[in-house]
Amino acid sequence: MRKKGSQKEYDLVVIGGGPSGMMMAGRAAELGARVLLLEKNKDLGKKLRITGGGRCNITNAEFNVREFLNNFPESKNFLFSPFSKFSSKDTFDFFEKKGLPLVVESRKRAFPESQKAEHVFKLLERYVRSNGGEIKTDSQVVKMSKESGKIKSIETKKGEKYFAKNFAIATGGASAQWTGSTGDGFKWLEKLGHKIKEANPNLVPLTTNEKWIHKLSGLTLSFMKISFIQDEKVKFKKTGKILFTHFGVSGPLIINSAFEAKKLLKKGKVFASIDIFPDTEESDLDKRVLKLFENNKNKSLKNILPEMLLKNLAKEILNLPDINMAEKQANSVTKEERKKLVKKMKDLRFEITGTLGLDKAIITDGGIILEEVDFKNMTSKKYPNLYLLGDVLNVNRPSGGFSLQLCWTTGHVAGSDVGEKIKEE
Ligand SMILES: Cc1cc2nc3c(=O)[nH]c(=O)nc-3n(C[C@H](O)[C@H](O)[C@H](O)COP(=O)(O)OP(=O)(O)OC[C@H]3O[C@@H](n4cnc5c(N)ncnc54)[C@H](O)[C@@H]3O)c2cc1C
């Protein structure tokens, strides 16, 4: 019978106290492993505590694994194995059995019923500690050493050295670096001979130089259609809510377009085109505008268009250089001018210049190349005692709880694997 803490050597040292690291540490400790979790911040889970605006979109309640994985277009084949062992349904059971009921909102996004990310963090910290896992905060790992194809030890900034049978890199990606995710894991993995896709911002707002967009900062348009255009061809389109900002556009619809928009930007200029009336045909919209003009013959357009559009938006559209009709009276608008205005409302175009940086990104586009990971147990294919979790992996996915589910799945599968290993000893 193995005794916990009977030796200095740990069964598992997890580097990084984010959601994936806590899940793995807790799971391995639950199965009897001697676990040490090292976190460089003063507290665990700094990023976890700001997820979902502090409410924590903990997972997505799509319980069909294949359907769920359709949200991971480039990596679904890799992820099928771990997700068939620990899915979003298992996440529901895991948290609810531990006293944290979840509720499902629009787009199947699941949140704690308490609406508090803090409760998710506390539950996980308890999961680690109550199973005998050791936690050391204020412990920044600065070095990882290997020997004979295995990871042998790690060292912290304070000079403490830890030996273990297994190690896990759960240091996150490189987004929102002030939370502690500064891409350290990527540097170690590169040194260890792994291929890393460079860290770029993903799930991030888009920028434009168009002043009229900046002037609309704070305005939200619901149920808009936005098309992304290159070389006069629509490359992809989405429908939803758009938030105008002082640098460009944001909101779930936009941040979920960033990955594809960036790919297009590498090839050339990209334009976004907003259809403000996606459910109305151009000819029907023209009839509505005509009626509006006929009912308000002697009024200027700047005073009557707000009957159809939000006032600020109407103002900016009427002041666009190719429209320039704010002061025009309805009865002096020509048919061509009216049709041009209608067209503009169906195709409000502006150039996308790029994205905001890693500091404003939800996740990182980049990480360890998936071909180098054994997804049966989440280990490195080069170092069988090195586990790779959560945002360290090069996995593109949308917002909606998919990122945290990736952490719960990879953390749980990896922790279970360590449990299996020690059972065999
Ligand atoms: C504003 C914001 C909101 C988000 N909201 C959601 C949401 O609602 N739902 C969702 O699914 N996803 C959300 N995400 C994404 C989600 O937070 C991440 O995918 C998730 O936190 C990744 O977890 P992780 O365990 O891989 O890494 P992280 O959470 O990044 O944790 C890594 C930990 O490792 C520590 N660390 C790093 N280097 C070292 C080192 N050298 N030594 C010791 N420790 C180290 C860090 O300090 C950090 O605590 C959001 C992200 C942001 C930025």
Side-chain angles (χ1 to χ4, degrees):
M1 181 76 177
R2 303 170 79 262
K3 260 193 184 167
K4 274 193 191 176
S6 59
Q7 268 174 269
K8 277 269 172 198
E9 197 191 52
Y10 292 96
D11 292 311
L12 171 68
V13 170
V14 179
I15 313 166
S20 67
M22 285 191 273
M23 176 57 102
M24 180 181 187
R27 177 64 179 156
E30 183 180 28
L31 297 175
R34 293 159 301 186
V35 177
L36 173 65
L37 174 60
L38 295 173
E39 165 56 51
K40 75 172 170 191
N41 288 331
K42 290 209 160 25
D43 293 304
L44 303 179
K46 200 163 175 179
K47 193 178 272 180
L48 174 63
R49 281 181 277 163
I50 58 160
T51 53
R55 298 198 300 131
C56 186
N57 181 188
I58 195 166
T59 185
N60 192 281
E62 172 54 68
F63 292 149
N64 178 306
V65 173
R66 289 214 185 267
E67 279 297 322
F68 188 98
L69 288 178
N70 282 337
N71 292 285
F72 296 72
E74 297 89 6
S75 50
K76 57 183 172 187
N77 292 338
F78 292 99
L79 294 174
F80 186 73
S81 165
F83 273 79
S84 56
K85 290 179 188 145
F86 195 86
S87 65
S88 55
K89 177 76 183 71
D90 297 309
T91 296
F92 261 73
D93 293 345
F94 176 88
F95 285 103
E96 296 202 322
K97 273 187 193 143
K98 289 182 170 41
L100 191 85
L102 307 184
V103 289
V104 180
E105 297 188 5
S106 60
R107 295 187 286 124
K108 298 193 181 178
R109 291 168 308 143
F111 294 83
E113 195 180 70
S114 66
Q115 304 284 307
K116 288 200 163 56
E118 191 71 19
H119 291 167
V120 181
F121 151 70
K122 282 198 171 135
L123 183 151
L124 285 167
E125 191 183 33
R126 210 167 44 238
Y127 183 45
V128 181
R129 287 195 199 281
S130 66
N131 284 300
E134 245 181 87
I135 296 175
K136 284 194 182 172
T137 53
D138 210 0
S139 297
Q140 182 181 351
V141 174
V142 288
K143 195 173 164 196
M144 185 169 256
S145 306
K146 60 176 179 173
E147 195 178 276
S148 320
K150 281 188 160 188
I151 306 301
K152 191 176 170 236
S153 64
I154 51 144
E155 240 178 281
T156 66
K157 205 174 173 181
K158 293 176 189 160
E160 294 155 334
K161 200 165 182 177
Y162 295 100
F163 295 86
K165 291 182 183 154
N166 300 284
F167 293 86
I169 300 184
T171 45
S175 73
Q177 300 207 351
W178 57 274
T179 61
S181 333
T182 44
D184 296 10
F186 301 155
K187 290 173 210 148
W188 303 326
L189 285 166
E190 256 181 345
K191 272 200 185 144
L192 289 169
H194 273 297
K195 267 200 216 91
I196 300 291
K197 183 181 169 199
E198 194 198 342
N200 276 301
N202 195 8
L203 295 186
V204 65
L206 300 176
T207 55
T208 179
N209 291 333
E210 300 278 0
K211 293 274 180 298
W212 64 271
I213 296 260
H214 304 174
K215 281 194 215 157
L216 289 171
S217 177
L219 183 88
T220 301
L221 296 179
S222 299
F223 308 113
M224 298 294 111
K225 188 171 88 189
I226 187 163
S227 308
F228 289 84
I229 297 166
Q230 188 159 59
D231 302 328
E232 285 307 316
K233 283 190 200 110
V234 173
K235 296 292 179 177
F236 68 99
K237 52 190 169 190
K238 292 195 171 159
T239 306
K241 205 192 272 181
I242 299 170
L243 169 68
F244 291 85
T245 69
H246 61 281
F247 52 79
V249 279
S250 188
L253 168 81
I254 297 295
I255 66 168
N256 283 314
S257 304
F259 186 76
E260 285 167 274
K262 277 198 309 171
K263 272 208 267 187
L264 291 177
L265 277 165
K266 281 197 185 130
K267 294 187 210 150
K269 281 184 184 260
V270 178
F271 293 87
S273 159
I274 301 176
D275 182 349
I276 310 170
F277 295 95
D279 296 331
T280 311
E281 289 295 326
E282 198 170 309
S283 53
D284 293 331
L285 187 62
D286 188 38
K287 281 181 201 142
R288 274 179 69 188
V289 173
L290 183 61
K291 199 163 171 209
L292 178 76
F293 286 6
E294 281 172 356
N295 290 344
N296 297 278
K297 284 193 177 90
N298 297 319
K299 290 188 185 158
S300 61
L301 296 203
K302 72 174 182 208
N303 290 329
I304 58 172
L305 203 60
E307 285 186 29
M308 288 181 70
L309 290 178
L310 288 167
K311 194 175 171 197
N312 288 352
L313 181 61
K315 182 178 155 202
E316 292 308 326
I317 292 178
L318 288 170
N319 282 332
L320 286 171
D322 56 334
I323 297 290
N324 197 16
M325 286 195 242
E327 303 300 334
K328 245 185 192 247
Q329 284 199 339
N331 59 4
S332 69
V333 175
T334 66
K335 187 176 166 189
E336 284 69 36
E337 283 173 330
R338 192 189 72 235
K339 292 215 175 272
K340 206 169 162 190
L341 178 63
V342 168
K343 215 173 237 334
K344 188 58 98 183
M345 293 195 280
K346 296 283 292 172
D347 180 8
L348 196 51
R349 229 178 250 220
F350 54 96
E351 188 178 347
I352 299 291
T353 49
T355 71
L356 287 187
L358 279 166
D359 55 329
K360 298 286 184 237
I362 301 285
I363 61 167
T364 309
D365 162 22
I368 183 164
I369 298 298
L370 303 187
E371 284 77 4
E372 301 192 353
V373 179
D374 184 346
F375 281 90
K376 279 200 305 294
N377 54 9
M378 299 314 305
T379 54
S380 147
K381 282 188 181 166
K382 290 182 195 278
Y383 304 92
N385 70 335
L386 179 63
Y387 292 83
L388 304 159
L389 314 176
D391 278 7
V392 167
L393 305 160
N394 176 33
V395 172
N396 169 39
R397 68 270 180 185
S399 67
F402 298 102
S403 295
L404 284 175
Q405 184 56 51
L406 182 68
C407 293
W408 312 136
T409 295
T410 53
H412 199 276
V413 167
S416 302
D417 193 63
V418 171
E420 285 299 312
K421 276 186 186 168
I422 61 168
K423 228 170 42 185
E424 287 162 13
E425 281 171 10

